[in-house]
Amino acid sequence: MHTKLFFIFLLFCSYTHAQNYVPVDEGSEVRFTIRNFGFNTSGNFKGIKGTIFFNPLFPATATFNVSISTATIDTDNQSRDNDLREELYFDVEKFPEITMVSTKIDKTNKTDDGYYFFTGNLIIKGVTKPVSFPFKAEKVSNDYLFTGEFPINRLDFGVGEKSTVLSQKVIVNLKIQAKAN
């Protein structure tokens, strides 16, 4: 009986130990790439905040609610960045954040440990669309580094207009450093 209680106690401790994390800018990168005039153009966002609840032993209990500041857009071109902050693109005055919220986290069927599958919602300019993609979770000391990549259609979110020179497809690359809370 004592052995069974001890095992339940250990299981409970591993379930509750260091599951709450806070995403931080330092070590994080939210990067996007889009074809513009036939060339790849990249940029990134900062101002990451939110909450992450994650335990690799129980991925079904994981939750991600993470936002970035739209005003921080940086494509290494100040004029373009200012245009992207305007109403036609990100409308940063009205929509100061882009948010991603998980609805389900699963372990993938990869043989390597640390791979999971994110299912959730991406909210840009008040438009919510489902997204899903594989990601890797790497333990770094008491913290986690989450990395993943997924495509979106910018027109689905009302970002810009149809164009013959600017692609609709945007590739989003995530590298999220999350500190134990």
Side-chain angles (χ1 to χ4, degrees), residues 31-32 42-45 70-77 81 85:
R31 190 155 194 75
F32 63 89
S42 296
N44 62 60
F45 292 94
T70 55
T72 65
I73 192 165
D74 181 5
T75 64
D76 288 330
N77 181 315
D81 295 345
R85 290 182 185 106

Side-chain angles (χ1 to χ4, degrees), residues 137-156:
E138 293 179 72
K139 185 88 167 151
V140 181
S141 189
N142 290 327
D143 306 328
Y144 267 96
L145 179 64
F146 300 100
T147 54
E149 175 182 295
F150 61 95
I152 63 169
N153 182 330
R154 66 181 176 80
L155 297 180
D156 288 347

Side-chain angles (χ1 to χ4, degrees), residues 70-73 78 81-87 90-92:
T70 55
T72 65
I73 192 165
Q78 188 65 39
D81 295 345
N82 289 337
D83 287 344
L84 291 171
R85 290 182 185 106
E86 296 297 323
E87 183 179 355
F90 288 102
D91 196 359
V92 301

Side-chain angles (χ1 to χ4, degrees), residues 1-25:
M1 179 66 169
H2 291 283
T3 306
K4 191 175 193 179
L5 286 175
F6 180 73
F7 177 72
I8 291 171
F9 175 75
L10 283 178
L11 186 62
F12 179 76
C13 287
S14 70
Y15 178 73
T16 59
H17 181 66
Q19 293 181 22
N20 292 302
Y21 299 90
V22 175
V24 295
D25 270 336

